[in-house]
Amino acid sequence: MNSGPMLRKLLAILVLGAAPAVFAAGPNDACLKCHTDPEIKGEAGKLKPTNAEAFRASIHGGRKGQCVECHEDAAELVDDKNHAKQLKPVDCASCHDDAVGEYAATVHGKARAGGNQVAASCGDCHGDPHAMLPASNPKSMTNFANIEATCGSCHGNEKLVQQAHLPGGNVQAMYHDSIHGRLMHEGSSYNAAAPTCTSCHGTHSILAKKEKGSRVSHANTPETCGSCHQRALVAFGGGKHGQLQHEGDKTAPTCSDCHTAHSIQRASQDDWKVAAIGQCGNCHDDYVQSYRRTYHGKVTNLGFADMATCASCHGSHDIRPASDPLSMVAGANRVETCRQCHKQGGAQFASWDPHPRPTDRSRDPILYFVNIGMNLLLQNLGMLIFTP
């Protein structure tokens, strides 16, 4: 049993009881008498100001706690009314040992332990301990609706982002304009179903992306996103990408590889549909290049989304190889897949190669020789036209 807080309370009672006239209205009034008066100065200058009303309304003052529970050495008076000139820093672990223990192992805690005093501490996220509000209070810095602004005080500050080399750049700007951010701040009230920073990164247990236990590590991203997008998680697990990821293949794409992390857009948006082709090309460049040679590819390359993209034929979360009977591009399913757009398409129509490679003779000998013939024809025609 931790007897520290109880001993501190007893000590405070003994000290405070020595001056009943000063402490008559409350156990903290002696502290507040000096620390709320802007005219009173110590030897080092003005005392740190404290708003009495804000303190009493705070989670610390509201629980009838005593100042000396946190400022232990303030109970040790050096004369009848004064404590030491310089008090020790408050140790939040004296009450919040679990949260502080988690914080020490986080990216913020490790950075501060390494000497980086720019990294977020308890007060940076929770606010002034003398005016700190519980997370359930709409005005609290850690209230769900205010998390973006709290994290953004560092991760949305361009100067600080550059100074501290924060990963990801100005992630608040990205998040604010994302589908998640718009769900949070559009309308008259916030959407409690929309994820905010802590929904994905955690609270006191925020770890760097490269760490194994991080909620946003490559291996854990599907589960983190799946906590909201359960159907997508199930579909992803049955597809080729999900199977590779489950087998430990670090090159297999997960949610953030295709959707990005902070700037996620609605998948039904035309610009996202077109941009997603490029995302597929990060791994399947040869297929995307061959797709660009087709009518589908040339039209989408102009920015038009009302045309077949990768996901139109292969699916999105449950992408499977053509050898899988459940694949949208399996032999038995190709006609049905093409008929999503081409209602009259038949077996012969669906037999056309959607990824033509005119320089690959083994894939399509007819296309290979036609390509050679067309190149020769165009070259000779050009010589005839432009030769004097």
Side-chain angles (χ1 to χ4, degrees):
M1 178 178 178
N2 186 359
S3 59
M6 183 61 71
L7 290 175
R8 289 196 297 274
K9 286 182 180 180
L10 291 174
L11 178 59
I13 291 171
L14 290 174
V15 173
L16 297 175
V22 177
F23 295 95
N28 294 321
D29 283 7
C31 300
L32 294 174
K33 182 178 180 180
C34 292
H35 286 275
T36 57
D37 189 340
E39 299 301 322
I40 297 179
K41 299 181 180 181
E43 292 185 12
K46 284 190 176 182
L47 299 177
K48 183 176 181 181
T50 299
N51 185 301
E53 291 183 6
F55 174 69
R56 293 189 178 104
S58 73
I59 193 169
H60 291 145
R63 59 178 283 273
K64 307 302 180 184
Q66 298 181 14
C67 300
V68 291
E69 289 185 51
C70 296
H71 302 282
E72 300 177 35
D73 42 349
E76 301 172 5
L77 304 184
V78 295
D79 52 42
D80 289 340
K81 59 181 180 179
N82 297 317
H83 56 64
K85 297 176 183 178
Q86 187 67 38
L87 298 181
K88 298 176 183 177
V90 171
D91 183 7
C92 298
S94 60
C95 293
H96 307 286
D97 54 338
D98 290 343
V100 172
E102 287 184 0
Y103 169 82
T106 66
V107 63
H108 294 145
K110 288 180 178 178
R112 287 191 74 87
N116 184 350
Q117 299 307 303
V118 177
S121 64
C122 307
D124 293 315
C125 299
H126 292 275
D128 182 353
H130 300 107
M132 192 179 295
L133 299 171
S136 58
N137 190 307
K139 295 182 180 180
S140 169
M141 290 177 63
T142 56
N143 182 269
F144 188 77
N146 301 326
I147 291 294
E148 179 194 343
T150 298
C151 296
S153 63
C154 290
H155 293 278
N157 184 322
E158 289 285 1
K159 182 178 180 180
L160 185 58
V161 166
Q162 295 178 13
Q163 176 188 345
H165 304 290
L166 298 182
N170 188 335
V171 296
Q172 184 193 13
M174 299 178 197
Y175 169 82
H176 191 78
D177 293 331
S178 73
I179 180 60
H180 293 156
R182 291 199 299 273
L183 285 173
M184 277 293 299
H185 62 72
E186 287 180 353
S188 58
S189 60
Y190 73 91
N191 186 341
T196 188
C197 313
T198 53
S199 306
C200 300
H201 293 275
T203 51
H204 296 110
S205 56
I206 300 173
L207 299 177
K209 182 180 179 180
K210 62 183 179 181
E211 295 193 41
K212 185 177 181 180
S214 172
R215 289 168 54 87
V216 294
S217 70
H218 184 269
N220 295 332
T221 295
E223 290 296 330
T224 297
C225 297
S227 62
C228 293
H229 303 283
Q230 296 178 5
R231 290 184 179 179
L233 176 63
V234 172
F236 175 79
K240 184 62 176 181
H241 293 158
Q243 292 172 10
L244 289 172
Q245 194 268 343
H246 182 71
E247 292 168 2
D249 188 339
K250 295 183 179 180
T251 65
T254 61
C255 315
S256 56
D257 291 300
C258 300
H259 294 276
T260 71
H262 297 102
S263 55
I264 301 170
Q265 298 299 314
R266 191 183 295 276
S268 59
Q269 290 184 188
D270 287 352
D271 55 351
W272 191 89
K273 291 180 181 179
V274 174
I277 298 170
Q279 299 284 22
C280 296
N282 289 333
C283 296
H284 307 287
D285 182 59
D286 56 336
Y287 281 96
V288 169
Q289 286 189 29
S290 62
Y291 165 81
R292 295 295 189 194
R293 294 191 180 100
T294 68
Y295 177 74
H296 293 156
K298 292 184 182 300
V299 173
T300 55
N301 202 35
L302 294 173
F304 296 96
D306 191 20
M307 185 59 58
T309 64
C310 308
S312 304
C313 301
H314 295 276
S316 53
H317 298 107
D318 57 345
I319 299 172
R320 299 168 183 267
S323 58
D324 188 326
L326 297 178
S327 170
M328 292 177 65
V329 293
N333 301 328
R334 286 185 65 174
V335 172
E336 194 63 31
T337 297
C338 293
R339 281 180 177 172
Q340 292 179 110
C341 300
H342 306 280
K343 304 300 182 183
Q344 305 302 319
Q348 184 176 1
F349 177 86
S351 68
W352 287 92
D353 190 350
H355 292 283
R357 293 174 174 80
T359 59
D360 187 346
R361 180 177 178 180
S362 62
R363 183 179 180 92
D364 192 334
I366 295 177
L367 179 61
Y368 174 78
F369 286 111
V370 168
N371 183 61
I372 291 177
M374 284 298 296
N375 284 333
L376 290 173
L377 176 62
L378 292 173
Q379 288 174 12
N380 291 327
L381 184 61
M383 291 176 65
L384 289 172
I385 294 174
F386 295 108
T387 300

